[in-house]
Amino acid sequence: MKRASRQLESGRASQRGMTLLEILVSLAILAMISLLIYGAFDSLSRGRKGEALRVDRARQGRDAMARITREIQSAFLSAHNPAMPALVTRTTAFIATHSNNGPNYDRLDFSAFAHVRMEKDAKESDQCEVGYFVVKDPDVDDKMDLVRREQTPIDLDPKRGGVINVLAENVESFHLRYFDPLSGMWVESWDTTQVSGQPNRLPLEVHVSLELKGVKNSPPFAFETKFMIPMLEPLSFGIPR
């Protein structure tokens, strides 16, 4: 009987459930493991998002520089104007202004063969006004964006009108310089509409530098290029010299 009783007690002991303390310890261990796993996945997710932002920021800079280069190289002036000033309906120009105060936020407005016809058989010319300048984002504090203005057809005001689209975001500086072949010097402003500027001629070369803010702790994204403008003198087909 005693042996049977001891066997019965040992069987009951082996079937005994977990105590509350054991359950709490198990839950604490599971919580710690879950927290570690969540931290690892969160770190990977944040790293992936940061890398995606860096890639996008670099892509914006490259695309902006490529477009700026392509369109400034297509800049032109035209000497084809009516003899009567009252009949003049358009002005081709190349006007560059330098920001003297604060960061380098330069501006350039010019006429170019840069308009892309989006509709088949559209009765549109490839001539247009293009402008590049930096503006403050109205929705985000301390955020400056590089924008592109396009006006087609060309009108009498080379610096206004048209459609404005963002070309690159989070701009820290946008600086342009122009090589004057007559003086052999680089200048920071150009105006073909003023007698005191560079009337009726384009710069030989243009130097563009663009700097975008870095992502988190990364350094700024800096882009720089220099290129020539093929057409320096105004178009004058059929005009005797």
Side-chain angles (χ1 to χ4, degrees):
M1 291 294 293
K2 290 182 179 181
R3 183 179 298 176
S5 177
R6 285 196 296 270
Q7 291 178 350
L8 182 60
E9 290 177 358
S10 62
R12 290 176 179 176
S14 63
Q15 295 176 2
R16 179 175 57 86
M18 297 178 63
T19 64
L20 179 61
L21 179 60
E22 292 172 335
I23 293 175
L24 292 176
V25 171
S26 301
L27 291 176
I29 294 173
L30 288 175
M32 292 177 62
I33 295 174
S34 300
L35 185 61
L36 292 173
I37 294 174
Y38 172 79
F41 278 104
D42 182 63
S43 177
L44 289 173
S45 177
R46 285 187 283 108
R48 184 170 57 185
K49 289 180 180 178
E51 186 61 28
L53 287 174
R54 283 187 285 270
V55 170
D56 183 66
R57 190 73 50 85
R59 179 193 58 78
Q60 279 191 22
R62 290 193 301 268
D63 290 349
M65 293 296 285
R67 186 163 194 172
I68 291 170
T69 300
R70 182 174 66 251
E71 292 185 343
I72 295 180
Q73 284 182 321
S74 68
F76 76 97
L77 299 174
S78 176
H80 298 96
N81 292 313
M84 297 180 60
L87 300 178
V88 176
T89 60
R90 48 178 268 161
T91 299
T92 58
F94 191 96
I95 304 174
T97 54
H98 175 63
S99 174
N100 294 316
N101 299 323
N104 284 326
Y105 293 147
D106 294 350
R107 174 166 182 156
L108 173 61
D109 296 273
F110 60 101
S111 51
F113 296 108
H115 176 63
V116 178
R117 294 181 289 273
M118 304 302 294
E119 298 181 6
K120 184 179 180 180
D121 299 329
K123 294 179 173 58
E124 299 175 356
S125 169
D126 58 353
Q127 302 177 22
C128 64
E129 296 171 4
V130 178
Y132 297 115
F133 51 95
V134 178
V135 298
K136 186 180 183 301
D137 191 325
D139 300 324
V140 181
D141 294 335
D142 194 30
K143 179 174 180 284
M144 307 297 290
D145 296 332
L146 174 63
V147 298
R148 175 185 181 272
R149 179 188 67 89
E150 180 179 329
Q151 162 69 30
T152 182
I154 298 174
D155 57 17
L156 290 172
D157 192 339
K159 300 184 69 173
R160 293 190 180 184
V163 178
I164 296 177
N165 293 306
V166 175
L167 197 59
E169 298 179 297
N170 295 284
V171 175
E172 287 196 342
S173 70
F174 177 58
H175 183 47
L176 301 101
R177 294 188 301 146
Y178 312 91
F179 184 74
D180 189 341
L182 296 184
S183 65
M185 299 177 61
W186 286 92
V187 298
E188 295 184 324
S189 61
W190 199 279
D191 194 340
T192 60
T193 64
Q194 301 294 326
V195 177
S196 59
Q198 296 83 11
N200 298 321
R201 61 188 181 90
L202 295 175
L204 177 62
E205 292 183 83
V206 179
H207 179 273
V208 183
S209 62
L210 174 65
E211 190 171 285
L212 307 181
K213 287 185 177 180
V215 177
K216 296 183 179 180
N217 297 324
S218 66
F221 294 84
F223 305 88
E224 188 173 2
T225 187
K226 183 173 67 173
F227 52 88
M228 300 181 66
I229 297 180
M231 192 161 27
L232 303 183
E233 297 183 358
L235 298 174
S236 56
F237 301 114
I239 299 178
R241 296 190 177 185

